[in-house]
Amino acid sequence: MNRKQRLATLLMLSVGLPALAGTHAGFPLQETPDTGGKGTVEQSDTNAYSLPQNNLSMTRRLDFSVGNSFFRNPWVEAPASTTARDGLGPLFNTNSCQGCHIKDGRGHPPAVDEPPVSLFLRLAVPADPDKDTDTLLTHGFKPAPVYGSQLQTAALPGGKPEADMKLSWKTVTKTLADGTRVKLREPIYKIESPNYGPLPENLLISPRVAPPMIGMGLLEAIPVADLKDLADPHDEDGDGISGRLNQVWDLEAEKTVPGRFGWKAAEPSVHQQSMGAFAGDMGLTSSLKPTTDCTPEQNCDQFPEGGQPEVSDKIANFVTFYAKSLAVPARRDMDDASVKKGARLFNETGCAACHTPRHTTGTDPDRPDLSNQSIWPYTDMLLHDMGPALADGRDEFLASGNEWRTPPLWGIGLAQTVNPQAGFLHDGRARTLEEAILWHGGEAAPSVARFRKSGAENREALLDFLNSL
């Protein structure tokens, strides 16, 4: 029994359940619908991701509402009578946080002839470790000359967007052991009509769809020591799983710390992630991010500012509080026989080796609602090699082009209830959870092989379990 299995067996015994036989089968089975601890909400409709934690005080609910208003409502061009919400652009991807995180949920790839809003392209060029040391330390990658670290496809009147992003699809067919054929779609991205000169020939792109917002404060509250215990970067136990923590630059602390948020775990905190989105997605400055992704060649300083900074510290704190306080919806159909079977298969197939079911949050005197909570996010927050089919070829701090952070699965069964167009995986390519499973490779390849060999009834049970989360 390896280290991860020993940990899982102890967790099983702590909740009074027998350890299961088989690969990674010793992880605990969730007994309570309260996936997000005491803050869990009973909501399963289109607003399932948009509620405050159930254990927030009335005073903090008012703070949540204020943060929600700045998250939901559009920001506008400066100068404007709405001085608290002006300064948009001049280059941007969307004019509101909600524009990407649709109803606080997942974004989606654009449809044919639809402008990209909740999916964007991160940019970079290959770095020289000897010459680009400072850039790699603080950015984790080398931004593209002129075009920066993100392709902005919109601009204020009088300005020009950086370029157009075009998306087409290639069909990939997977045949399962019983002969079932599943058609997957592989995205093909093109950048057309660049307005600031030719694109670098060695340009690296990474498509990113907006992830759901639920439970982020709880994820930040998981003690880093617990995440380090789950890491096994050199696969010393020989189980084929070698998750590791990213190490990223913390702008406030001015030092390297473990990364937690973003598709490659490149942000250390909800606050830094939020301010990065203001700067990159909307062209808005803050105290933490006093510059946007505009480069000198783009002459963005010819447009009026919305203040210095454009997102005041007060507003920034309200938005961060909102982002840290969105509740996780409760589990559903837990007594269904197929769901119960799927929960066991989730462990036995090996999914729980990365999608760690349970964590306990630490203590934060300022946030008792997030403290000492038993939560079920189904993530280890670590980087894993997902194979060449999902690779973007773009390093980010320690994350290689093949590596992605294990995304939390809580609430995933409601993703397309919240946003019917929502896609799964980092670029939204998967239209169903079955497609998402079949795209997994690398460290997940053995688990996918077991899924493909399973009979239709077992596959359906596993999907029923995921849809109950």
Side-chain angles (χ1 to χ4, degrees):
M1 183 180 292
N2 63 42
R3 179 177 55 81
K4 298 187 194 73
Q5 289 174 315
R6 288 197 297 273
L7 174 63
T9 299
L10 289 172
L11 287 170
M12 291 285 287
L13 295 173
S14 73
V15 294
L17 294 171
L20 300 173
T23 302
H24 298 294
F27 286 89
L29 299 177
Q30 185 175 345
E31 287 190 314
T32 170
D34 294 336
T35 304
K38 294 179 181 178
T40 304
V41 293
E42 297 283 344
Q43 192 94 1
S44 57
D45 59 14
T46 186
N47 294 313
Y49 290 174
S50 298
L51 298 179
Q53 291 203 158
N54 205 31
N55 57 347
L56 271 185
S57 67
M58 186 56 67
T59 301
R60 302 315 312 256
R61 284 172 183 264
L62 293 175
D63 294 339
F64 179 91
S65 295
V66 174
N68 181 28
S69 70
F70 286 101
F71 189 90
R72 182 184 67 249
N73 293 321
W75 289 69
V76 298
E77 178 183 2
S81 57
T82 312
T83 55
R85 200 177 279 115
D86 69 350
L88 177 70
L91 300 177
F92 57 97
N93 292 97
T94 184
N95 63 357
S96 72
C97 306
Q98 197 79 250
C100 283
H101 302 276
I102 298 165
K103 296 188 75 65
D104 304 293
R106 295 170 182 267
H108 58 266
V112 178
D113 297 327
E114 180 183 59
V117 176
S118 55
L119 179 146
F120 56 81
L121 298 181
R122 289 281 173 85
L123 308 177
V125 292
D128 183 332
D130 295 325
K131 296 180 180 179
D132 301 315
T133 305
D134 291 343
T135 298
L136 292 175
L137 174 67
T138 57
H139 286 72
F141 60 91
K142 184 177 181 179
V146 180
Y147 288 89
S149 60
Q150 185 167 312
L151 186 72
Q152 275 97 25
T153 54
L156 295 176
K160 294 180 180 180
E162 289 186 320
D164 296 327
M165 186 195 84
K166 299 295 183 182
L167 172 60
S168 59
W169 299 99
K170 174 185 175 183
T171 299
V172 177
T173 302
K174 298 285 187 179
T175 303
L176 309 186
D178 62 3
T180 300
R181 293 166 64 86
V182 182
K183 290 186 177 181
L184 311 181
R185 57 177 191 171
E186 180 181 352
I188 301 171
Y189 297 93
K190 290 184 179 180
I191 300 175
E192 298 182 347
S193 305
N195 284 312
Y196 296 92
L199 296 164
E201 292 184 2
N202 57 351
L203 183 67
L204 304 172
I205 66 168
S206 180
R208 308 285 176 90
V209 70
M213 301 287 295
I214 56 173
M216 292 180 70
L218 293 167
L219 295 175
E220 187 172 298
I222 299 172
V224 68
D226 293 355
L227 301 180
K228 287 181 178 178
D229 284 344
L230 293 174
D232 187 12
H234 304 295
D235 192 21
E236 294 179 1
D237 57 18
D239 65 353
I241 306 299
S242 54
R244 58 177 181 161
L245 279 167
N246 205 348
Q247 297 294 325
V248 307
W249 188 252
D250 186 313
L251 290 168
E252 289 184 296
E254 296 187 329
K255 65 179 182 180
T256 296
V257 300
R260 293 180 186 246
F261 299 103
W263 286 106
K264 286 184 180 280
E267 298 291 358
S269 65
V270 176
H271 184 62
Q272 186 163 313
Q273 171 86 345
S274 300
M275 297 308 104
F278 271 126
D281 302 349
M282 292 187 283
L284 295 164
T285 60
S286 62
S287 293
L288 192 66
K289 290 272 191 176
T291 59
T292 68
D293 199 41
C294 276
T295 61
E297 295 86 350
Q298 294 168 331
N299 297 317
C300 291
D301 55 3
Q302 66 181 305
F303 291 84
E305 296 178 345
Q308 292 185 343
E310 290 161 328
V311 181
S312 70
D313 290 347
K314 188 173 184 180
I315 292 173
N317 290 334
F318 276 126
V319 170
T320 299
F321 181 82
Y322 173 77
K324 291 177 68 171
S325 305
L326 283 160
V328 179
R331 278 279 305 275
R332 301 157 310 287
D333 304 320
M334 290 183 64
D335 294 328
D336 181 88
S338 182
V339 170
K340 288 183 175 181
K341 180 180 180 180
R344 294 191 296 271
L345 290 170
F346 182 82
N347 290 348
E348 293 168 359
T349 302
C351 305
C354 299
H355 291 282
T356 305
R358 194 177 77 169
H359 292 275
T360 300
T361 63
T363 301
D364 182 351
D366 296 326
R367 292 299 303 265
D369 54 296
L370 301 175
S371 298
N372 307 311
Q373 300 293 303
S374 180
I375 59 175
W376 298 82
Y378 296 89
T379 176
D380 59 10
M381 305 286 282
L382 304 178
L383 297 171
H384 292 277
D385 182 347
M386 295 299 294
L390 292 177
D392 65 353
R394 179 183 181 273
D395 298 349
E396 197 161 0
F397 292 105
L398 295 186
S400 73
N402 279 30
E403 288 181 312
W404 301 95
R405 184 198 71 158
T406 306
L409 297 181
W410 52 11
I412 199 168
L414 296 171
Q416 292 176 335
T417 298
V418 172
N419 174 16
Q421 295 177 279
F424 304 103
L425 302 176
H426 67 277
D427 54 8
R429 70 175 69 187
R431 293 159 293 190
T432 67
L433 294 175
E434 182 178 50
E435 289 184 21
I437 292 170
L438 293 174
W439 272 114
H440 283 52
E443 295 174 45
S447 295
V448 176
R450 295 184 193 102
F451 179 79
R452 293 177 68 168
K453 291 177 182 178
S454 296
E457 185 178 328
N458 282 351
R459 296 197 305 271
E460 192 63 33
L462 180 55
L463 294 172
D464 286 343
F465 164 71
L466 293 175
N467 280 305
S468 78
L469 295 179

